[in-house]
Amino acid sequence: MFEEILITQLNDFIFCPASIYFHNLYGETDKMVYQSTQQINGTAAHKSVDQATYTTRKDILMGIDVYSEEYGLIGKIDMFDVNKGILTERKRQVKVIYDGYYFQVFAQCFGLREAGYIVNQIKIHSIVDNKNYDIPLPEKNITMLKKFQETIEQMHTFKLDEFEQTCPEKCRNCIYEPACDRGVK
């Protein structure tokens, strides 16, 4: 079996596989040293869920660990309404539903299901503008499910020493760009 993949790394890998290496390299360094304002604001927006203070309702699970043995994924969910079967991933501000967002909620969905929960609906919630975006369940979106599975396979076979970024826009928006030797030359 392969080493487990953190659910948050799915989105990172799509942005740039090298970013996972640098994220691990920085480790416990104070995030203020290397994170962008957007990332700091995103972390702050998750605080009430991460600390399970968003609600006191007992039927709402917040910030719990999930694991998918089938896909070798481990991470946390934001919120899950046990009674309604609604999984909600909170983002500070959603302008586009990126593939990585789908992959994160698919991973959370599979982890919840393997733990015995019934997931009926998936939502991504944009905190700033208070909008919800419905995400089809994995089995209802076969194209995205295949991309999810292919990405996991790519992550397991990825070799940093063979990687070279080809998208200058990604390098311009990367907080690790100053330290990275894999960027666009």
Side-chain angles (χ1 to χ4, degrees):
M1 183 67 188
F2 292 109
E3 185 175 318
E4 281 95 11
I5 295 172
L6 297 175
I7 291 172
T8 58
Q9 290 177 337
L10 293 167
N11 199 31
D12 295 342
F13 186 83
I14 291 169
F15 175 74
C16 177
S19 70
I20 296 170
Y21 167 78
F22 286 102
H23 183 77
N24 290 331
L25 184 68
Y26 282 91
E28 297 300 316
T29 303
D30 185 348
K31 291 179 180 175
M32 295 295 286
V33 171
Y34 64 91
Q35 276 195 337
S36 70
T37 302
Q38 285 179 308
Q39 288 173 307
I40 291 168
N41 289 341
T43 299
H46 268 100
K47 189 175 182 179
S48 64
V49 171
D50 293 341
Q51 295 177 350
T53 59
Y54 181 76
T55 183
T56 57
R57 288 180 42 192
K58 301 295 180 211
D59 60 331
I60 304 292
L61 304 178
M62 291 179 291
I64 65 163
D65 292 317
V66 292
Y67 176 69
S68 170
E69 184 174 3
E70 178 180 1
Y71 291 106
L73 299 167
I74 189 167
K76 291 186 178 293
I77 63 158
D78 280 356
M79 295 187 343
F80 180 65
D81 183 322
V82 177
N83 293 337
K84 295 179 181 176
I86 301 173
L87 170 63
T88 304
E89 170 70 16
R90 293 165 45 91
K91 302 283 185 194
R92 184 175 181 280
Q93 185 172 22
V94 176
K95 294 180 181 177
V96 176
I97 305 291
Y98 295 104
D99 287 0
Y101 293 3
Y102 279 95
F103 299 169
Q104 285 180 295
V105 293
F106 282 10
Q108 293 169 12
C109 176
F110 289 127
L112 284 166
R113 286 176 173 172
E114 288 182 37
Y117 293 100
I118 297 170
V119 180
N120 297 317
Q121 186 177 5
I122 301 173
K123 294 182 179 193
I124 293 179
H125 178 74
S126 179
I127 297 168
V128 168
D129 53 10
N130 198 32
K131 290 184 180 177
N132 286 310
Y133 299 88
D134 289 324
I135 303 298
L137 294 169
E139 62 274 10
K140 302 274 187 192
N141 191 340
I142 301 304
T143 301
M144 198 56 73
L145 177 59
K146 286 182 92 167
K147 286 173 84 173
F148 167 80
Q149 293 166 332
E150 289 167 0
T151 299
I152 292 169
E153 178 62 29
Q154 290 168 5
M155 291 177 78
H156 284 303
T157 59
F158 177 75
K159 292 179 176 59
L160 181 62
D161 57 344
E162 296 174 7
F163 174 75
E164 191 171 310
Q165 181 57 264
T166 57
C167 179
E169 186 65 24
K170 288 186 177 186
C171 291
R172 276 194 290 281
N173 290 308
C174 181
I175 61 173
Y176 304 114
E177 190 275 331
C180 183
D181 66 345
R182 303 284 156 193
V184 177
K185 307 293 183 224

PDB file of all heavy atoms in Angstrom, residues 53-88:
ATOM      1  N   THR A  53     -16.297  25.665  17.349  1.00  0.00           N
ATOM      2  CA  THR A  53     -17.083  26.679  18.054  1.00  0.00           C
ATOM      3  C   THR A  53     -18.133  27.320  17.148  1.00  0.00           C
ATOM      4  O   THR A  53     -18.849  28.209  17.570  1.00  0.00           O
ATOM      5  CB  THR A  53     -16.170  27.791  18.620  1.00  0.00           C
ATOM      6  OG1 THR A  53     -15.453  28.397  17.541  1.00  0.00           O
ATOM      7  CG2 THR A  53     -15.221  27.236  19.661  1.00  0.00           C
ATOM      8  N   TYR A  54     -18.244  26.863  15.904  1.00  0.00           N
ATOM      9  CA  TYR A  54     -19.185  27.445  14.948  1.00  0.00           C
ATOM     10  C   TYR A  54     -20.629  27.211  15.398  1.00  0.00           C
ATOM     11  O   TYR A  54     -21.475  28.066  15.246  1.00  0.00           O
ATOM     12  CB  TYR A  54     -18.942  26.863  13.553  1.00  0.00           C
ATOM     13  CG  TYR A  54     -19.856  27.428  12.498  1.00  0.00           C
ATOM     14  CD1 TYR A  54     -19.637  28.700  11.989  1.00  0.00           C
ATOM     15  CD2 TYR A  54     -20.941  26.697  12.015  1.00  0.00           C
ATOM     16  CE1 TYR A  54     -20.475  29.230  11.023  1.00  0.00           C
ATOM     17  CE2 TYR A  54     -21.774  27.215  11.052  1.00  0.00           C
ATOM     18  CZ  TYR A  54     -21.534  28.479  10.558  1.00  0.00           C
ATOM     19  OH  TYR A  54     -22.368  28.999   9.607  1.00  0.00           O
ATOM     20  N   THR A  55     -20.889  26.038  15.932  1.00  0.00           N
ATOM     21  CA  THR A  55     -22.221  25.712  16.432  1.00  0.00           C
ATOM     22  C   THR A  55     -22.087  24.741  17.609  1.00  0.00           C
ATOM     23  O   THR A  55     -21.094  24.025  17.709  1.00  0.00           O
ATOM     24  CB  THR A  55     -23.129  25.097  15.339  1.00  0.00           C
ATOM     25  OG1 THR A  55     -24.442  24.863  15.872  1.00  0.00           O
ATOM     26  CG2 THR A  55     -22.572  23.783  14.836  1.00  0.00           C
ATOM     27  N   THR A  56     -23.110  24.712  18.456  1.00  0.00           N
ATOM     28  CA  THR A  56     -23.113  23.763  19.569  1.00  0.00           C
ATOM     29  C   THR A  56     -24.061  22.591  19.303  1.00  0.00           C
ATOM     30  O   THR A  56     -24.233  21.735  20.159  1.00  0.00           O
ATOM     31  CB  THR A  56     -23.527  24.469  20.883  1.00  0.00           C
ATOM     32  OG1 THR A  56     -24.809  25.074  20.700  1.00  0.00           O
ATOM     33  CG2 THR A  56     -22.503  25.516  21.283  1.00  0.00           C
ATOM     34  N   ARG A  57     -24.664  22.569  18.120  1.00  0.00           N
ATOM     35  CA  ARG A  57     -25.576  21.482  17.783  1.00  0.00           C
ATOM     36  C   ARG A  57     -24.827  20.154  17.778  1.00  0.00           C
ATOM     37  O   ARG A  57     -23.761  20.029  17.179  1.00  0.00           O
ATOM     38  CB  ARG A  57     -26.221  21.723  16.420  1.00  0.00           C
ATOM     39  CG  ARG A  57     -27.235  22.840  16.447  1.00  0.00           C
ATOM     40  CD  ARG A  57     -27.870  23.093  15.102  1.00  0.00           C
ATOM     41  NE  ARG A  57     -28.211  21.871  14.379  1.00  0.00           N
ATOM     42  CZ  ARG A  57     -28.563  21.853  13.107  1.00  0.00           C
ATOM     43  NH1 ARG A  57     -28.612  22.962  12.407  1.00  0.00           N
ATOM     44  NH2 ARG A  57     -28.855  20.718  12.514  1.00  0.00           N
ATOM     45  N   LYS A  58     -25.388  19.176  18.412  1.00  0.00           N
ATOM     46  CA  LYS A  58     -24.748  17.856  18.530  1.00  0.00           C
ATOM     47  C   LYS A  58     -24.820  17.054  17.237  1.00  0.00           C
ATOM     48  O   LYS A  58     -24.043  16.111  17.046  1.00  0.00           O
ATOM     49  CB  LYS A  58     -25.378  17.052  19.672  1.00  0.00           C
ATOM     50  CG  LYS A  58     -25.264  17.733  21.023  1.00  0.00           C
ATOM     51  CD  LYS A  58     -23.823  17.854  21.450  1.00  0.00           C
ATOM     52  CE  LYS A  58     -23.729  18.527  22.797  1.00  0.00           C
ATOM     53  NZ  LYS A  58     -22.517  19.288  22.965  1.00  0.00           N
ATOM     54  N   ASP A  59     -25.746  17.414  16.335  1.00  0.00           N
ATOM     55  CA  ASP A  59     -25.870  16.678  15.084  1.00  0.00           C
ATOM     56  C   ASP A  59     -24.982  17.250  13.974  1.00  0.00           C
ATOM     57  O   ASP A  59     -25.013  16.774  12.843  1.00  0.00           O
ATOM     58  CB  ASP A  59     -27.326  16.632  14.623  1.00  0.00           C
ATOM     59  CG  ASP A  59     -27.924  18.015  14.392  1.00  0.00           C
ATOM     60  OD1 ASP A  59     -27.484  18.983  15.058  1.00  0.00           O
ATOM     61  OD2 ASP A  59     -28.832  18.131  13.549  1.00  0.00           O
ATOM     62  N   ILE A  60     -24.182  18.247  14.307  1.00  0.00           N
ATOM     63  CA  ILE A  60     -23.239  18.826  13.348  1.00  0.00           C
ATOM     64  C   ILE A  60     -21.827  18.457  13.789  1.00  0.00           C
ATOM     65  O   ILE A  60     -21.361  18.863  14.853  1.00  0.00           O
ATOM     66  CB  ILE A  60     -23.358  20.371  13.272  1.00  0.00           C
ATOM     67  CG1 ILE A  60     -24.781  20.807  12.933  1.00  0.00           C
ATOM     68  CG2 ILE A  60     -22.338  20.933  12.278  1.00  0.00           C
ATOM     69  CD1 ILE A  60     -25.245  20.473  11.538  1.00  0.00           C
ATOM     70  N   LEU A  61     -21.154  17.664  12.971  1.00  0.00           N
ATOM     71  CA  LEU A  61     -19.754  17.308  13.241  1.00  0.00           C
ATOM     72  C   LEU A  61     -18.870  18.387  12.625  1.00  0.00           C
ATOM     73  O   LEU A  61     -19.096  18.799  11.487  1.00  0.00           O
ATOM     74  CB  LEU A  61     -19.420  15.947  12.636  1.00  0.00           C
ATOM     75  CG  LEU A  61     -20.286  14.764  13.062  1.00  0.00           C
ATOM     76  CD1 LEU A  61     -19.843  13.499  12.323  1.00  0.00           C
ATOM     77  CD2 LEU A  61     -20.236  14.568  14.559  1.00  0.00           C
ATOM     78  N   MET A  62     -17.872  18.825  13.362  1.00  0.00           N
ATOM     79  CA  MET A  62     -16.971  19.860  12.869  1.00  0.00           C
ATOM     80  C   MET A  62     -15.527  19.460  13.100  1.00  0.00           C
ATOM     81  O   MET A  62     -15.163  19.017  14.191  1.00  0.00           O
ATOM     82  CB  MET A  62     -17.221  21.185  13.600  1.00  0.00           C
ATOM     83  CG  MET A  62     -18.526  21.847  13.283  1.00  0.00           C
ATOM     84  SD  MET A  62     -18.734  23.369  14.206  1.00  0.00           S
ATOM     85  CE  MET A  62     -18.938  22.728  15.868  1.00  0.00           C
ATOM     86  N   GLY A  63     -14.714  19.630  12.059  1.00  0.00           N
ATOM     87  CA  GLY A  63     -13.282  19.433  12.178  1.00  0.00           C
ATOM     88  C   GLY A  63     -12.859  18.042  12.598  1.00  0.00           C
ATOM     89  O   GLY A  63     -11.790  17.880  13.180  1.00  0.00           O
ATOM     90  N   ILE A  64     -13.662  17.028  12.286  1.00  0.00           N
ATOM     91  CA  ILE A  64     -13.281  15.668  12.686  1.00  0.00           C
ATOM     92  C   ILE A  64     -12.359  15.046  11.635  1.00  0.00           C
ATOM     93  O   ILE A  64     -12.406  15.396  10.460  1.00  0.00           O
ATOM     94  CB  ILE A  64     -14.499  14.748  12.934  1.00  0.00           C
ATOM     95  CG1 ILE A  64     -15.294  14.517  11.645  1.00  0.00           C
ATOM     96  CG2 ILE A  64     -15.385  15.295  14.043  1.00  0.00           C
ATOM     97  CD1 ILE A  64     -16.234  13.337  11.720  1.00  0.00           C
ATOM     98  N   ASP A  65     -11.527  14.136  12.084  1.00  0.00           N
ATOM     99  CA  ASP A  65     -10.634  13.417  11.191  1.00  0.00           C
ATOM    100  C   ASP A  65     -11.423  12.365  10.416  1.00  0.00           C
ATOM    101  O   ASP A  65     -12.310  11.716  10.969  1.00  0.00           O
ATOM    102  CB  ASP A  65      -9.538  12.706  11.984  1.00  0.00           C
ATOM    103  CG  ASP A  65      -8.575  13.672  12.639  1.00  0.00           C
ATOM    104  OD1 ASP A  65      -8.180  14.652  11.980  1.00  0.00           O
ATOM    105  OD2 ASP A  65      -8.209  13.449  13.805  1.00  0.00           O
ATOM    106  N   VAL A  66     -11.073  12.227   9.137  1.00  0.00           N
ATOM    107  CA  VAL A  66     -11.646  11.162   8.311  1.00  0.00           C
ATOM    108  C   VAL A  66     -10.511  10.454   7.585  1.00  0.00           C
ATOM    109  O   VAL A  66      -9.445  11.032   7.357  1.00  0.00           O
ATOM    110  CB  VAL A  66     -12.693  11.682   7.294  1.00  0.00           C
ATOM    111  CG1 VAL A  66     -13.942  12.179   7.993  1.00  0.00           C
ATOM    112  CG2 VAL A  66     -12.116  12.750   6.388  1.00  0.00           C
ATOM    113  N   TYR A  67     -10.775   9.211   7.242  1.00  0.00           N
ATOM    114  CA  TYR A  67      -9.780   8.412   6.545  1.00  0.00           C
ATOM    115  C   TYR A  67     -10.480   7.555   5.508  1.00  0.00           C
ATOM    116  O   TYR A  67     -11.495   6.931   5.795  1.00  0.00           O
ATOM    117  CB  TYR A  67      -9.034   7.509   7.532  1.00  0.00           C
ATOM    118  CG  TYR A  67      -8.046   6.581   6.874  1.00  0.00           C
ATOM    119  CD1 TYR A  67      -6.882   7.074   6.288  1.00  0.00           C
ATOM    120  CD2 TYR A  67      -8.283   5.215   6.820  1.00  0.00           C
ATOM    121  CE1 TYR A  67      -5.979   6.222   5.670  1.00  0.00           C
ATOM    122  CE2 TYR A  67      -7.377   4.357   6.202  1.00  0.00           C
ATOM    123  CZ  TYR A  67      -6.227   4.864   5.626  1.00  0.00           C
ATOM    124  OH  TYR A  67      -5.337   4.032   5.012  1.00  0.00           O
ATOM    125  N   SER A  68      -9.947   7.539   4.307  1.00  0.00           N
ATOM    126  CA  SER A  68     -10.446   6.647   3.273  1.00  0.00           C
ATOM    127  C   SER A  68      -9.376   5.597   3.008  1.00  0.00           C
ATOM    128  O   SER A  68      -8.323   5.905   2.446  1.00  0.00           O
ATOM    129  CB  SER A  68     -10.758   7.405   1.984  1.00  0.00           C
ATOM    130  OG  SER A  68     -11.027   6.478   0.945  1.00  0.00           O
ATOM    131  N   GLU A  69      -9.665   4.382   3.421  1.00  0.00           N
ATOM    132  CA  GLU A  69      -8.742   3.280   3.169  1.00  0.00           C
ATOM    133  C   GLU A  69      -8.683   2.974   1.672  1.00  0.00           C
ATOM    134  O   GLU A  69      -7.613   2.691   1.122  1.00  0.00           O
ATOM    135  CB  GLU A  69      -9.179   2.040   3.947  1.00  0.00           C
ATOM    136  CG  GLU A  69      -8.213   0.893   3.817  1.00  0.00           C
ATOM    137  CD  GLU A  69      -8.583  -0.293   4.701  1.00  0.00           C
ATOM    138  OE1 GLU A  69      -9.612  -0.271   5.390  1.00  0.00           O
ATOM    139  OE2 GLU A  69      -7.803  -1.268   4.685  1.00  0.00           O
ATOM    140  N   GLU A  70      -9.829   3.070   1.016  1.00  0.00           N
ATOM    141  CA  GLU A  70      -9.884   2.783  -0.418  1.00  0.00           C
ATOM    142  C   GLU A  70      -8.915   3.651  -1.218  1.00  0.00           C
ATOM    143  O   GLU A  70      -8.233   3.164  -2.122  1.00  0.00           O
ATOM    144  CB  GLU A  70     -11.308   3.000  -0.946  1.00  0.00           C
ATOM    145  CG  GLU A  70     -11.437   2.760  -2.429  1.00  0.00           C
ATOM    146  CD  GLU A  70     -12.850   2.977  -2.960  1.00  0.00           C
ATOM    147  OE1 GLU A  70     -13.763   3.348  -2.191  1.00  0.00           O
ATOM    148  OE2 GLU A  70     -13.039   2.769  -4.168  1.00  0.00           O
ATOM    149  N   TYR A  71      -8.828   4.932  -0.860  1.00  0.00           N
ATOM    150  CA  TYR A  71      -7.985   5.857  -1.612  1.00  0.00           C
ATOM    151  C   TYR A  71      -6.706   6.259  -0.872  1.00  0.00           C
ATOM    152  O   TYR A  71      -5.882   6.973  -1.431  1.00  0.00           O
ATOM    153  CB  TYR A  71      -8.788   7.107  -1.993  1.00  0.00           C
ATOM    154  CG  TYR A  71      -9.853   6.806  -3.015  1.00  0.00           C
ATOM    155  CD1 TYR A  71     -11.193   6.747  -2.656  1.00  0.00           C
ATOM    156  CD2 TYR A  71      -9.509   6.545  -4.336  1.00  0.00           C
ATOM    157  CE1 TYR A  71     -12.166   6.457  -3.598  1.00  0.00           C
ATOM    158  CE2 TYR A  71     -10.482   6.251  -5.283  1.00  0.00           C
ATOM    159  CZ  TYR A  71     -11.813   6.212  -4.913  1.00  0.00           C
ATOM    160  OH  TYR A  71     -12.771   5.915  -5.848  1.00  0.00           O
ATOM    161  N   GLY A  72      -6.544   5.820   0.362  1.00  0.00           N
ATOM    162  CA  GLY A  72      -5.346   6.170   1.113  1.00  0.00           C
ATOM    163  C   GLY A  72      -5.268   7.648   1.435  1.00  0.00           C
ATOM    164  O   GLY A  72      -4.205   8.258   1.369  1.00  0.00           O
ATOM    165  N   LEU A  73      -6.417   8.247   1.800  1.00  0.00           N
ATOM    166  CA  LEU A  73      -6.506   9.677   2.075  1.00  0.00           C
ATOM    167  C   LEU A  73      -6.866   9.919   3.530  1.00  0.00           C
ATOM    168  O   LEU A  73      -7.703   9.206   4.094  1.00  0.00           O
ATOM    169  CB  LEU A  73      -7.564  10.324   1.176  1.00  0.00           C
ATOM    170  CG  LEU A  73      -7.309  10.224  -0.322  1.00  0.00           C
ATOM    171  CD1 LEU A  73      -8.551  10.606  -1.101  1.00  0.00           C
ATOM    172  CD2 LEU A  73      -6.134  11.098  -0.714  1.00  0.00           C
ATOM    173  N   ILE A  74      -6.258  10.933   4.104  1.00  0.00           N
ATOM    174  CA  ILE A  74      -6.528  11.273   5.498  1.00  0.00           C
ATOM    175  C   ILE A  74      -6.630  12.791   5.623  1.00  0.00           C
ATOM    176  O   ILE A  74      -5.926  13.525   4.942  1.00  0.00           O
ATOM    177  CB  ILE A  74      -5.433  10.702   6.424  1.00  0.00           C
ATOM    178  CG1 ILE A  74      -5.817  10.858   7.882  1.00  0.00           C
ATOM    179  CG2 ILE A  74      -4.075  11.312   6.122  1.00  0.00           C
ATOM    180  CD1 ILE A  74      -4.950  10.049   8.831  1.00  0.00           C
ATOM    181  N   GLY A  75      -7.545  13.241   6.471  1.00  0.00           N
ATOM    182  CA  GLY A  75      -7.700  14.681   6.674  1.00  0.00           C
ATOM    183  C   GLY A  75      -8.866  14.988   7.575  1.00  0.00           C
ATOM    184  O   GLY A  75      -9.327  14.135   8.330  1.00  0.00           O
ATOM    185  N   LYS A  76      -9.328  16.211   7.477  1.00  0.00           N
ATOM    186  CA  LYS A  76     -10.441  16.676   8.301  1.00  0.00           C
ATOM    187  C   LYS A  76     -11.574  17.176   7.413  1.00  0.00           C
ATOM    188  O   LYS A  76     -11.342  17.635   6.310  1.00  0.00           O
ATOM    189  CB  LYS A  76      -9.992  17.826   9.197  1.00  0.00           C
ATOM    190  CG  LYS A  76      -9.022  17.424  10.287  1.00  0.00           C
ATOM    191  CD  LYS A  76      -8.748  18.602  11.215  1.00  0.00           C
ATOM    192  CE  LYS A  76      -7.828  18.226  12.335  1.00  0.00           C
ATOM    193  NZ  LYS A  76      -8.390  17.285  13.286  1.00  0.00           N
ATOM    194  N   ILE A  77     -12.769  17.085   7.949  1.00  0.00           N
ATOM    195  CA  ILE A  77     -13.914  17.714   7.288  1.00  0.00           C
ATOM    196  C   ILE A  77     -14.120  19.070   7.949  1.00  0.00           C
ATOM    197  O   ILE A  77     -13.640  19.308   9.062  1.00  0.00           O
ATOM    198  CB  ILE A  77     -15.190  16.869   7.418  1.00  0.00           C
ATOM    199  CG1 ILE A  77     -15.601  16.730   8.894  1.00  0.00           C
ATOM    200  CG2 ILE A  77     -15.009  15.505   6.784  1.00  0.00           C
ATOM    201  CD1 ILE A  77     -17.053  16.406   9.092  1.00  0.00           C
ATOM    202  N   ASP A  78     -14.850  19.939   7.278  1.00  0.00           N
ATOM    203  CA  ASP A  78     -15.256  21.187   7.921  1.00  0.00           C
ATOM    204  C   ASP A  78     -16.518  20.932   8.740  1.00  0.00           C
ATOM    205  O   ASP A  78     -16.488  21.005   9.950  1.00  0.00           O
ATOM    206  CB  ASP A  78     -15.495  22.289   6.886  1.00  0.00           C
ATOM    207  CG  ASP A  78     -14.213  22.938   6.413  1.00  0.00           C
ATOM    208  OD1 ASP A  78     -13.139  22.596   6.931  1.00  0.00           O
ATOM    209  OD2 ASP A  78     -14.290  23.793   5.510  1.00  0.00           O
ATOM    210  N   MET A  79     -17.619  20.615   8.047  1.00  0.00           N
ATOM    211  CA  MET A  79     -18.883  20.385   8.759  1.00  0.00           C
ATOM    212  C   MET A  79     -19.676  19.275   8.083  1.00  0.00           C
ATOM    213  O   MET A  79     -19.679  19.165   6.863  1.00  0.00           O
ATOM    214  CB  MET A  79     -19.734  21.660   8.779  1.00  0.00           C
ATOM    215  CG  MET A  79     -19.109  22.779   9.558  1.00  0.00           C
ATOM    216  SD  MET A  79     -20.112  24.272   9.815  1.00  0.00           S
ATOM    217  CE  MET A  79     -21.405  24.212   8.661  1.00  0.00           C
ATOM    218  N   PHE A  80     -20.342  18.489   8.929  1.00  0.00           N
ATOM    219  CA  PHE A  80     -21.220  17.450   8.414  1.00  0.00           C
ATOM    220  C   PHE A  80     -22.466  17.397   9.270  1.00  0.00           C
ATOM    221  O   PHE A  80     -22.403  17.181  10.479  1.00  0.00           O
ATOM    222  CB  PHE A  80     -20.524  16.083   8.410  1.00  0.00           C
ATOM    223  CG  PHE A  80     -21.393  14.975   7.874  1.00  0.00           C
ATOM    224  CD1 PHE A  80     -21.809  14.979   6.556  1.00  0.00           C
ATOM    225  CD2 PHE A  80     -21.798  13.938   8.698  1.00  0.00           C
ATOM    226  CE1 PHE A  80     -22.616  13.962   6.055  1.00  0.00           C
ATOM    227  CE2 PHE A  80     -22.605  12.921   8.212  1.00  0.00           C
ATOM    228  CZ  PHE A  80     -23.011  12.931   6.891  1.00  0.00           C
ATOM    229  N   ASP A  81     -23.621  17.628   8.637  1.00  0.00           N
ATOM    230  CA  ASP A  81     -24.918  17.525   9.299  1.00  0.00           C
ATOM    231  C   ASP A  81     -25.322  16.057   9.250  1.00  0.00           C
ATOM    232  O   ASP A  81     -25.692  15.533   8.196  1.00  0.00           O
ATOM    233  CB  ASP A  81     -25.938  18.410   8.576  1.00  0.00           C
ATOM    234  CG  ASP A  81     -27.305  18.424   9.249  1.00  0.00           C
ATOM    235  OD1 ASP A  81     -27.751  17.366   9.755  1.00  0.00           O
ATOM    236  OD2 ASP A  81     -27.940  19.493   9.264  1.00  0.00           O
ATOM    237  N   VAL A  82     -25.210  15.396  10.383  1.00  0.00           N
ATOM    238  CA  VAL A  82     -25.459  13.955  10.466  1.00  0.00           C
ATOM    239  C   VAL A  82     -26.901  13.618  10.103  1.00  0.00           C
ATOM    240  O   VAL A  82     -27.156  12.657   9.371  1.00  0.00           O
ATOM    241  CB  VAL A  82     -25.119  13.423  11.884  1.00  0.00           C
ATOM    242  CG1 VAL A  82     -25.444  11.948  12.006  1.00  0.00           C
ATOM    243  CG2 VAL A  82     -23.656  13.676  12.210  1.00  0.00           C
ATOM    244  N   ASN A  83     -27.856  14.410  10.583  1.00  0.00           N
ATOM    245  CA  ASN A  83     -29.267  14.116  10.331  1.00  0.00           C
ATOM    246  C   ASN A  83     -29.655  14.273   8.864  1.00  0.00           C
ATOM    247  O   ASN A  83     -30.450  13.490   8.347  1.00  0.00           O
ATOM    248  CB  ASN A  83     -30.166  15.002  11.193  1.00  0.00           C
ATOM    249  CG  ASN A  83     -30.037  14.673  12.673  1.00  0.00           C
ATOM    250  OD1 ASN A  83     -29.636  13.571  13.050  1.00  0.00           O
ATOM    251  ND2 ASN A  83     -30.352  15.627  13.524  1.00  0.00           N
ATOM    252  N   LYS A  84     -29.135  15.286   8.208  1.00  0.00           N
ATOM    253  CA  LYS A  84     -29.482  15.547   6.807  1.00  0.00           C
ATOM    254  C   LYS A  84     -28.492  14.921   5.825  1.00  0.00           C
ATOM    255  O   LYS A  84     -28.775  14.854   4.634  1.00  0.00           O
ATOM    256  CB  LYS A  84     -29.559  17.059   6.559  1.00  0.00           C
ATOM    257  CG  LYS A  84     -30.671  17.730   7.332  1.00  0.00           C
ATOM    258  CD  LYS A  84     -30.682  19.221   7.072  1.00  0.00           C
ATOM    259  CE  LYS A  84     -31.780  19.890   7.876  1.00  0.00           C
ATOM    260  NZ  LYS A  84     -31.733  21.355   7.712  1.00  0.00           N
ATOM    261  N   GLY A  85     -27.335  14.504   6.313  1.00  0.00           N
ATOM    262  CA  GLY A  85     -26.327  13.925   5.442  1.00  0.00           C
ATOM    263  C   GLY A  85     -25.674  14.945   4.527  1.00  0.00           C
ATOM    264  O   GLY A  85     -25.292  14.620   3.410  1.00  0.00           O
ATOM    265  N   ILE A  86     -25.526  16.188   5.025  1.00  0.00           N
ATOM    266  CA  ILE A  86     -24.949  17.258   4.204  1.00  0.00           C
ATOM    267  C   ILE A  86     -23.525  17.552   4.666  1.00  0.00           C
ATOM    268  O   ILE A  86     -23.287  17.945   5.805  1.00  0.00           O
ATOM    269  CB  ILE A  86     -25.790  18.552   4.274  1.00  0.00           C
ATOM    270  CG1 ILE A  86     -27.214  18.287   3.789  1.00  0.00           C
ATOM    271  CG2 ILE A  86     -25.127  19.667   3.447  1.00  0.00           C
ATOM    272  CD1 ILE A  86     -28.157  19.458   3.985  1.00  0.00           C
ATOM    273  N   LEU A  87     -22.588  17.372   3.734  1.00  0.00           N
ATOM    274  CA  LEU A  87     -21.182  17.686   3.947  1.00  0.00           C
ATOM    275  C   LEU A  87     -20.931  19.084   3.398  1.00  0.00           C
ATOM    276  O   LEU A  87     -21.276  19.364   2.248  1.00  0.00           O
ATOM    277  CB  LEU A  87     -20.298  16.666   3.215  1.00  0.00           C
ATOM    278  CG  LEU A  87     -18.804  16.955   3.133  1.00  0.00           C
ATOM    279  CD1 LEU A  87     -18.162  16.975   4.520  1.00  0.00           C
ATOM    280  CD2 LEU A  87     -18.123  15.933   2.229  1.00  0.00           C
ATOM    281  N   THR A  88     -20.346  19.960   4.221  1.00  0.00           N
ATOM    282  CA  THR A  88     -20.075  21.332   3.799  1.00  0.00           C
ATOM    283  C   THR A  88     -18.600  21.656   3.990  1.00  0.00           C
ATOM    284  O   THR A  88     -18.066  21.505   5.086  1.00  0.00           O
ATOM    285  CB  THR A  88     -20.923  22.352   4.599  1.00  0.00           C
ATOM    286  OG1 THR A  88     -22.308  22.019   4.454  1.00  0.00           O
ATOM    287  CG2 THR A  88     -20.684  23.771   4.107  1.00  0.00           C
TER     288      THR A  88
END
